[in-house]
Amino acid sequence: LVSTPFFPPEAIAADQKPKEFIDVGTQAPAPEGEPPFVELSNGVKVKDFRRGSGEDVVQGTSSVQIQCSGKLLNLNGVSFYNTKNNNPDGFGAIPLSINVGKGEALPGLESGLIGMRKGGIRRIIVPSDLAYSKFPGLEPQPTNANDQRALDSVVKNSRRDATILFDVSIERFK
């Protein structure tokens, strides 16, 4: 039996540790050539996946119809809302209609929609203070009891981060 010497982790120089152990607890950088999220002044983060068409953009007073899915980051991306599931007949997704600036939708979602073009696809990360923790009755609302329970398990538990992720596609707006 061959004996190997034991070196405590602090005895190993940082340049000898694998990279995975040096950057523990830091966010991984975006893959090569992929743009990072842009943080808005209110803390909402956005990232465009498709810019959309036309010169017109969603304004702070626009009426928009969107397809979107909402996920709970604290629960590893568990979905709590999807416009594909909001048609009781099961024949296609019904878009969510929002009048931006009228207090119908979460403030973080509204600010993330501003500047989008028709056909654009954007990922919006809404911090808890602009989401359901402070605005529980605003759209989008879960469409079934299971999705509502998932949302409540995060929002009503003060020990959990209630940050929400939305993937949004603009169908039309005026």
Side-chain angles (χ1 to χ4, degrees):
L1 189 66
V2 176
S3 169
T4 57
F6 172 75
F7 295 106
E10 55 275 358
I12 301 172
D15 60 345
Q16 293 177 338
K17 291 181 183 177
K19 184 176 182 326
E20 295 84 17
F21 294 116
I22 295 172
D23 296 331
V24 171
T26 61
Q27 186 175 3
E32 289 292 321
E34 195 171 310
F37 278 88
V38 174
E39 187 166 350
L40 306 178
S41 61
N42 59 1
V44 172
K45 295 178 183 174
V46 298
K47 181 177 183 177
D48 287 320
F49 288 93
R50 182 169 56 200
R51 187 164 182 240
S53 60
E55 293 302 314
D56 295 333
V57 296
V58 174
Q59 303 290 322
T61 57
S62 297
S63 176
V64 299
Q65 290 190 333
I66 62 173
Q67 293 291 338
C68 79
S69 67
K71 297 180 179 160
L72 302 164
L73 290 182
N74 189 274
L75 294 181
N76 294 328
V78 168
S79 179
F80 71 91
Y81 180 82
N82 196 324
T83 50
K84 293 179 182 175
N85 301 334
N86 68 359
N87 186 348
D89 297 331
F91 293 107
I94 298 175
L96 176 65
S97 296
I98 298 171
N99 292 308
V100 179
K102 304 266 185 181
E104 296 174 4
L106 297 172
L109 177 60
E110 285 188 353
S111 65
L113 292 172
I114 294 173
M116 289 186 73
R117 301 173 192 276
K118 182 179 178 186
I121 297 174
R122 179 177 283 177
R123 179 162 284 169
I124 304 169
I125 298 177
V126 181
S128 60
D129 59 334
L130 296 174
Y132 296 103
S133 295
K134 294 200 176 157
F135 305 95
L138 298 182
E139 290 292 336
Q141 287 293 313
T143 56
N144 63 54
N146 285 338
D147 292 345
Q148 184 65 54
R149 273 194 294 279
L151 179 61
D152 288 345
S153 75
V154 171
V155 173
K156 293 183 178 181
N157 185 342
S158 61
R159 295 182 309 250
R160 286 190 164 170
D161 178 16
T163 299
I164 306 291
L165 179 142
F166 288 104
D167 286 327
V168 178
S169 172
I170 299 284
E171 284 199 346
R172 59 184 67 90
F173 67 92
K174 56 182 172 177

